Amino acid sequence: MKHQKMMTWVSISGTALAIFLVMVFFMVDKLPTTEGYPETNRSRMLYGGGLDLHYAKGSRSGAMSFKMADRMYGNLDGIEKVAHSSSWGESYNVGAPGKMAYPLSATHTDADFWNMYDFHFISGNPYDSASVTAGEKIAVITRSVARKLFNKDDVTGEEIRVNTVPFIVSGVVEDINPVMKATFANIYLPFSIEEQSNTEDFGSVKVHLLMKPGVKQEEIKRQVQSRYDRLNQEFAKDSTEAIYHDAPHDVEYLSKGGIFGNYTPDLSSQHRQTYITYIILLLLPAINLSSMMRGRLRHRVSEIGVRRAFGAKRVSIIVQLLGENFIITLIGGLIGCVLSYVFIYFAADYFFNITHLDATGLMFATSSPSISMLFTWSNFFIALAVCFVLNLISAFVPAWKASRVAPAEAIAKSINN
């Protein structure tokens, strides 16, 4: 590093760029499934609610009603909590009386929804079961909506208009990052009485399931599949069949836009594509770094020859060169890792917001992910692992070739040069 400053910093810069690209791609891929406010138990969450019925003539698929959702997902062994929300977000015009209304992203929920997730209430409280059952016109809004409509945070008890219908604000929560697809909204409303009392098979319900610690997804899925089997025994007389699509699904499938499709999820092809991208992002800079290392070693031929003449073994030469290169790789890796976190933090809205939100209510969302979502120990160790792999790929072959140079030949080359 002292004698070849230019080559050293070129190598560090190349490594930093490689780690930057790998980590940016990794965080963009993993952030939608990383635990964070208010979904702090994502690893134990499952989601269901899609219904796919095939009749003698034709088929129909969509979201379940409360009745059907309770039959398929209620009282499952190994489930700690169950909650319900609307299966898809809606856009409502929301404003304060006499003021401009804004199209906001809205979600309908039951009272259990607020016990399922760790929402931070700045003001007021969530609506309870009695309020939902009674069909009261109350709502929970986010901090940014409260500030936009009333220029303050504490707006509990204030009246708002949702599509011109008066609602009372029962509470204000911290803004939700849009990558939290199970919970993101600008305004939360209780389910309508009509939806709660719907006796049909289809409705607008998404089911949220929190597994008990240690419970496996497969245990829950086996129970749900057996319920589908019993349901189909009843449907058989009407020549109807409910197709089981491996429900309930985890947060990864939810982040890909699934749950209500009339197909069985298969993420293996997406995983393969991700792995191929990682390999390409590693190989391309590794080839360049390997060329740089060969260039550095050409200036150290005499050093290697002298060491070999004094009895240094090939293994010790290789270990030394790998160690030196690993230090350079580690420095570049740390720089690239820091740059990737900073880049994603400020550019997160470009990667996430435009992909699955179309309401102008997006302006009311906190678009940047929190530091706790970006910096996790798993991400840190992955960055170190990438540095190690990049070092091996780029340095081993040049180091191995350098160790095999005959001492007399190396010294002769250095004299000629």
Side-chain angles (χ1 to χ4, degrees):
M1 293 177 68
K2 290 173 62 178
H3 295 286
Q4 297 179 334
K5 294 180 180 179
M6 175 65 72
M7 292 297 295
T8 295
W9 284 108
V10 168
S11 298
I12 289 176
S13 300
T15 305
L17 177 61
I19 300 299
F20 171 80
L21 293 175
V22 171
M23 291 305 296
V24 165
F25 183 82
F26 177 79
M27 285 189 287
V28 169
D29 184 57
K30 295 298 182 183
L31 190 56
T33 61
T34 300
E35 294 186 348
Y37 166 78
E39 301 175 29
T40 54
N41 290 309
R42 275 181 153 185
S43 60
R44 292 196 287 137
M45 291 298 304
L46 295 176
Y47 308 90
L51 183 62
D52 184 15
L53 297 185
H54 286 212
Y55 309 102
K57 296 182 179 180
S59 62
R60 180 185 176 187
S61 61
M64 293 180 175
S65 64
F66 264 98
K67 174 186 174 183
M68 181 60 72
D70 184 63
R71 181 171 183 178
M72 293 295 102
Y73 299 104
N75 299 315
L76 291 169
D77 294 333
I79 294 299
E80 185 176 309
K81 296 179 181 178
V82 181
H84 304 83
S85 70
S86 49
S87 56
W88 46 78
E90 300 179 73
S91 181
Y92 291 162
N93 290 320
V94 181
K99 295 183 179 180
M100 177 180 177
Y102 300 90
L104 303 183
S105 177
T107 293
H108 292 268
T109 77
D110 60 7
D112 295 325
F113 181 82
W114 302 107
N115 299 321
M116 177 72 73
Y117 299 102
D118 297 324
F119 285 92
H120 300 160
F121 273 83
I122 303 168
S123 168
N125 297 289
Y127 39 79
D128 55 22
S129 298
S131 301
V132 175
T133 303
E136 294 183 13
K137 301 297 183 182
I138 53 180
V140 172
I141 61 177
T142 61
R143 180 201 292 266
S144 55
V145 173
R147 290 180 175 179
K148 189 68 174 181
L149 299 183
F150 299 100
N151 296 317
K152 59 181 181 179
D153 294 345
D154 187 0
V155 297
T156 300
E158 297 282 356
E159 180 182 313
I160 59 176
R161 299 295 175 91
V162 180
N163 284 353
T164 71
V165 178
F167 277 74
I168 300 298
V169 177
S170 68
V172 180
V173 296
E174 290 280 4
D175 286 4
I176 314 300
N177 192 285
V179 302
M180 298 297 174
K181 295 191 69 174
T183 56
F184 173 79
N186 306 128
I187 180 172
Y188 303 85
L189 307 169
F191 271 111
S192 66
I193 296 178
E194 292 75 16
E195 182 60 52
Q196 298 175 56
S197 58
N198 180 11
T199 59
E200 302 294 328
D201 297 327
F202 290 95
S204 63
V205 171
K206 174 165 63 182
V207 183
H208 305 242
L209 304 170
L210 177 63
M211 295 184 292
K212 295 178 180 178
V215 176
K216 303 296 183 183
Q217 293 184 32
E218 291 71 20
E219 301 175 28
I220 307 301
K221 291 183 178 182
R222 281 195 294 269
Q223 296 180 61
V224 175
Q225 186 173 16
S226 65
R227 295 188 178 189
Y228 267 83
D229 293 338
R230 291 195 296 270
L231 180 66
N232 282 326
Q233 291 176 2
E234 299 178 13
F235 281 169
K237 64 180 182 297
D238 298 322
S239 299
T240 301
E241 181 183 10
I243 308 300
Y244 176 66
H245 291 298
D246 203 32
H249 309 298
D250 60 16
V251 67
E252 180 182 12
Y253 183 63
L254 179 67
S255 69
K256 305 296 184 183
I259 297 301
F260 303 107
N262 55 353
Y263 60 92
T264 301
D266 180 15
L267 300 177
S268 58
S269 61
Q270 297 184 36
H271 292 162
R272 285 194 298 270
Q273 183 178 358
T274 299
Y275 298 147
I276 291 172
T277 304
Y278 283 142
I279 293 173
I280 293 174
L281 290 175
L282 276 175
L283 285 180
L284 291 180
I287 293 172
N288 291 329
L289 293 175
S290 180
S291 300
M292 294 178 191
M293 184 173 183
R294 283 197 297 269
R296 292 202 309 270
L297 291 179
R298 278 197 294 269
H299 297 282
R300 301 177 63 183
V301 171
S302 59
E303 172 197 334
I304 296 171
V306 171
R307 289 198 60 200
R308 292 280 288 121
F310 277 88
K313 296 181 179 180
R314 290 191 178 116
V315 173
S316 65
I317 299 292
I318 294 175
V319 170
Q320 175 196 343
L321 295 178
L322 287 178
E324 292 175 358
N325 195 67
F326 182 72
I327 292 175
I328 294 175
T329 305
L330 186 60
I331 294 173
L334 292 176
I335 294 173
C337 190
V338 172
L339 290 177
S340 64
Y341 284 116
V342 173
F343 178 77
I344 288 295
Y345 182 81
F346 289 104
D349 54 342
Y350 174 79
F351 288 105
F352 306 111
N353 293 353
I354 63 175
T355 58
H356 55 261
L357 292 175
D358 53 6
T360 56
L362 183 60
M363 71 177 72
F364 298 102
T366 301
S367 58
S368 298
S370 64
I371 296 298
S372 62
M373 291 173 63
L374 287 176
F375 182 81
T376 63
W377 285 110
S378 61
N379 284 358
F380 177 75
F381 287 119
I382 286 172
L384 287 180
V386 171
C387 288
F388 180 73
V389 173
L390 193 62
N391 171 66
L392 286 180
I393 295 175
S394 62
F396 181 78
V397 173
W400 179 75
K401 288 183 176 181
S403 70
R404 295 181 64 83
V405 176
E409 179 185 352
I411 295 173
K413 285 183 178 180
S414 66
I415 292 175
N416 293 332
N417 291 335

